[in-house]
């Protein structure tokens, strides 16, 4: 097996990076100040992202890695989506929560591609 990551794993790793960076950015911006993702629910998204990263690194190319990436991406997406929909609202959502949301979607797409390709 080659040492290079195939396309599904590359997408997954890029999504993990986006979730982690997003958790370091503001998730809520109000007149009273900002809430950074790690001070909000972003730590849950980061934990899911690191679990996905570890699994993909160890079990690269397997269906299990695809399932874990799909589930972890959905968790990160749901956490960020919940924050936008129920906590901050669209007008109060910061850049970080949007980046984390998109990162979760990219992780899930990478996991789904791995399952479809089945290499």
């Amino acid at each position: 097996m080659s040492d290079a990551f195939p396309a599904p794993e590359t997408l997954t790793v890029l999504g993990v990076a986006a979730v982690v960076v997003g958790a370091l950015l503001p998730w809520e911006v109000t007149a009273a100040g900002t809430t950074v993702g790690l001070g909000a629910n972003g730590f849950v998204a980061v934990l899911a992202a690191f679990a996905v990263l570890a699994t993909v690194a160890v079990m690269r190319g397997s269906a299990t890695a695809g399932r874990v990436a799909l589930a972890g991406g959905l968790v990160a997406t749901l956490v960020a989506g919940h924050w936008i929909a129920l906590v901050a609202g669209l007008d109060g959502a910061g850049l970080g929560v949007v980046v984390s949301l998109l990162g979760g979607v990219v992780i899930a797409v990478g996991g789904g591609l791995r399952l479809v390709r089945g290499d």
Side-chain angles (χ1 to χ4, degrees), residues 4-5 12-13 16 19 21 31 37-39 48 53 58 76 78 82 88 90 92 96 102 104 111:
F5 277 176
T12 302
V13 170
V16 167
V19 169
V21 168
L38 289 176
L53 182 63
V58 172
L78 288 173
H82 169 267
L90 286 176
L102 294 175

Side-chain angles (χ1 to χ4, degrees), residues 36-118:
V36 177
L38 289 176
N41 292 342
F43 69 93
V44 176
V46 170
L47 289 176
F50 279 140
V52 167
L53 182 63
T55 304
V56 168
V58 172
M59 304 184 79
R60 171 170 31 158
S62 71
T64 300
R67 285 190 293 273
V68 169
L70 181 60
L74 291 176
V75 167
T77 301
L78 288 173
V79 168
H82 169 267
W83 187 266
I84 291 172
L86 300 178
V87 179
L90 286 176
D91 56 341
L95 175 65
V97 72
V98 174
V99 170
S100 291
L101 178 77
L102 294 175
V105 170
V106 171
I107 292 170
V109 167
L113 283 175
R114 171 51 51 213
L115 289 174
V116 169
R117 285 181 66 181

Side-chain angles (χ1 to χ4, degrees), residues 27-43:
W27 272 35
E28 184 177 26
V29 180
T30 62
T34 62
T35 303
V36 177
L38 289 176
N41 292 342
F43 69 93

